[in-house]
Amino acid sequence: TVKNSIFYPSVGLSFVLSDALRLPAAINYAKVRASWAQAGGDTDPYQLSLTYGLSGANGSAPLAQVGPTSVPNSKLQPYVSTTDEAGLEARMFNNRLSLDFAVYSRVTTNDIVRATISPTSGYTGAIFNVGKISNKGVELMLSYRIGSATGFSWEPGINLSYNKSLVNALYGNLTQITVDNARTQTAQIAQKVGKEYSQLQVVAYKRNAAGQIIFNSSGMP
């Protein structure tokens, strides 16, 4: 069954502390918020079944060839991203200093990934849904208004953020998939269970205890 619709539910709640409580005079405005939301997405078209394209003609007979470079996947599903977030907004010191702080946790299931496969198969990649990828992080925005609120003013700001990703599960029982190879085949980008999203892996030479490269009988490292 082709799943060609995506449901986007969300809910949010906020509470203005400065309206409900007596806060110190230095705090002009304060609000806390929390939200939960889901969003879905898809990939490029023509990924579910084999397609053909015209590639010229032999005399008056048109020639066709297999169109996609990735193995089609008739069971491909939309990915779903679920996010929990909590935050605090505040303005202080006669509304000059503004603060916006948030913590979040996002879990993506059925993420759509194109894995690299051997070109001897007739394709260069395969597209499928991976199991579960999580992201957790914090964001902080600070700004300070210099000048008059009614005349010329300047409000420089700074934004700080930190995000930690983790590959929780992949397709089936796989613990690693390669999503891209370097032209020299000595480096690759891979997804590995238990590691951060998009690991860069390179070929390293074997070394002895002194740190020197070990060579084989043919003189190759």
Side-chain angles (χ1 to χ4, degrees):
T1 301
V2 177
K3 186 177 180 181
N4 55 9
S5 63
I6 308 173
F7 183 51
Y8 290 81
S10 65
V11 61
L13 178 68
S14 62
F15 182 72
V16 182
L17 296 171
S18 53
D19 288 346
L21 304 174
R22 185 182 297 274
L23 300 177
I27 301 177
N28 305 107
Y29 175 80
K31 182 180 76 172
V32 292
R33 67 179 187 272
S35 64
W36 175 92
Q38 275 190 341
D42 53 17
T43 183
D44 297 331
Y46 314 117
Q47 301 293 333
L48 303 181
S49 58
L50 192 64
T51 60
Y52 297 87
L54 296 178
S55 58
N58 182 12
S60 60
L63 299 177
Q65 64 181 13
V66 174
T69 59
S70 295
V71 179
N73 185 351
S74 61
K75 298 181 179 180
L76 200 65
Q77 301 291 318
Y79 68 80
V80 177
S81 180
T82 304
T83 303
D84 302 295
E85 181 178 321
L88 168 67
E89 299 176 39
R91 293 195 298 269
M92 297 167 283
F93 308 119
N94 198 24
N95 292 315
R96 289 187 177 274
L97 178 64
S98 297
L99 175 148
D100 192 331
F101 176 76
V103 295
Y104 65 87
S105 174
R106 181 170 62 251
V107 176
T108 301
T109 56
N110 287 334
D111 195 18
I112 300 173
V113 170
R114 183 183 184 276
T116 300
I117 62 176
S118 172
T120 57
S121 64
Y123 298 90
T124 59
I127 187 168
F128 53 88
N129 296 108
V130 300
K132 182 179 178 182
I133 298 173
S134 62
N135 286 271
K136 296 181 179 180
V138 296
E139 293 184 351
L140 173 64
M141 178 178 289
L142 290 172
S143 62
Y144 188 80
R145 179 172 53 81
I146 302 171
S148 171
T150 57
F152 174 80
S153 64
W154 177 44
E155 191 170 351
I158 184 173
N159 183 279
L160 304 173
S161 63
Y162 172 80
N163 179 76
K164 177 73 172 181
S165 64
L166 181 67
V167 178
N168 302 101
L170 292 173
Y171 182 79
N173 295 322
L174 293 178
T175 59
Q176 175 176 326
I177 58 174
T178 300
V179 294
D180 196 11
N181 279 322
R183 187 177 299 274
T184 60
Q185 301 296 313
T186 59
Q188 63 182 11
I189 298 176
Q191 314 291 20
K192 298 184 66 175
V193 174
K195 297 290 186 178
E196 294 184 356
Y197 188 80
S198 292
Q199 293 289 307
L200 179 61
Q201 299 179 329
V202 297
V203 175
Y205 294 116
K206 188 175 182 180
R207 297 175 182 270
N208 59 23
Q212 299 171 323
I213 297 176
I214 299 175
F215 295 87
N216 61 21
S217 58
S218 301
M220 299 296 294

